[in-house]
Amino acid sequence: MGFRNFNLDPRLMKAVQEANYTIPTPIQKEAIPVCMEGTDIIGTAATGTGKTAAFVLPILHHLLRSHSHGKHTRVLIVAPTRELAEQNREVIKLLSRHTHIKSAVVYGGVGFHAQEQALKDGTEIIVCCPGRLLDHMGQGNVNLKHVEIAVLDEADRMLDMGFLPDIRRILAALPKERQTMLFSATFAPELVDLINHNLRNPKRISVN
């Protein structure tokens, strides 16, 4: 089975081929069709198994196939560390290279102004760390009312780092009608309450 079986937008397929993606990894094979249906998902797979592309490709396909009235942030990806946020952004840039989709990263330890500008400009995909996004939310720099897809990446690490209260605050600011994806290397029991309150009939995918 190759990536053509997913019926992705031709612009994405061109980027997939240039990135030398040939055979989908197990998590990509299982998760991409579910994500493309708009279903909420809980994906469990080890780090380094291609989880990022498993949610980035369906997100880009959705943005290309559905139009927005005006410029808004339509996708929010929350990651535990700036390194992971940057890694997600690199995959987004790689796979969206033949589109006009814009993305930005928002995390601490760097200047505030460029991030503020990206948030106010309505950049379509924002990849963020929880603390800095909450700082921007507190200053009124970000409008999350048009977010259609939310991704919690490496949820178990966010739990370990004490970000659960921050995640709850961020999700509470998003529209109720959205697609939510949670990806994790392991499934911690503490995530159950978060899932029950924030995901709608999620499909569970676990890949060893």
Side-chain angles (χ1 to χ4, degrees), residues 143-155:
N143 178 2
L144 300 176
K145 291 184 172 61
H146 300 278
V147 169
E148 299 160 31
I149 301 173
V151 180
L152 303 179
D153 193 19
E154 300 288 358

Side-chain angles (χ1 to χ4, degrees), residues 89-123:
R89 173 87 189 290
E90 287 306 311
V91 174
I92 292 165
K93 285 165 67 177
L94 177 71
L95 296 175
S96 65
R97 61 195 299 181
H98 299 297
T99 76
H100 297 294
I101 293 170
K102 290 187 170 61
S103 60
V105 283
V106 171
Y107 51 66
V110 294
F112 216 76
H113 180 69
Q115 297 177 0
E116 179 184 348
Q117 204 58 51
L119 290 165
K120 287 186 171 175
D121 285 349
T123 303

Side-chain angles (χ1 to χ4, degrees), residues 2-176:
F3 281 88
R4 290 197 179 281
N5 295 68
F6 299 129
N7 294 318
L8 291 161
D9 185 282
R11 289 164 285 186
L12 300 181
M13 276 307 304
K14 187 176 180 187
V16 163
Q17 289 163 346
E18 290 171 354
N20 292 319
Y21 288 16
T22 51
I23 308 231
T25 66
I27 188 66
Q28 291 166 356
K29 182 180 175 183
E30 297 287 333
I32 288 174
V34 177
C35 296
M36 287 178 70
E37 289 170 0
T39 306
D40 284 7
I41 185 171
I42 302 163
T44 310
T47 303
T49 53
K51 288 200 295 287
T52 307
F55 60 78
V56 167
L57 281 169
I59 283 171
L60 295 174
H61 181 82
H62 169 79
L63 293 178
L64 290 170
R65 293 302 169 99
S66 61
H67 298 288
S68 174
H69 300 292
K71 294 179 71 176
H72 308 293
T73 296
R74 300 176 63 191
V75 177
L76 185 69
I77 300 171
V78 188
T81 65
R82 57 193 288 179
E83 291 79 16
L84 190 59
E86 282 291 357
Q87 182 185 313
N88 284 345
R89 173 87 189 290
E90 287 306 311
V91 174
I92 292 165
K93 285 165 67 177
L94 177 71
L95 296 175
S96 65
R97 61 195 299 181
H98 299 297
T99 76
H100 297 294
I101 293 170
K102 290 187 170 61
S103 60
V105 283
V106 171
Y107 51 66
V110 294
F112 216 76
H113 180 69
Q115 297 177 0
E116 179 184 348
Q117 204 58 51
L119 290 165
K120 287 186 171 175
D121 285 349
T123 303
E124 288 162 287
I125 304 176
I126 296 292
V127 186
C128 68
C129 293
R132 178 56 70 94
L133 180 69
L134 286 171
D135 290 343
H136 282 289
M137 288 168 65
Q139 294 192 25
N141 294 338
V142 55
N143 178 2
L144 300 176
K145 291 184 172 61
H146 300 278
V147 169
E148 299 160 31
I149 301 173
V151 180
L152 303 179
D153 193 19
E154 300 288 358
D156 50 352
R157 285 182 67 190
M158 288 200 273
L159 199 65
D160 292 341
M161 294 170 74
F163 285 137
L164 197 54
D166 292 351
I167 297 299
R168 292 186 198 280
R169 285 177 61 195
I170 291 166
L171 291 176
L174 304 182
K176 290 277 186 282

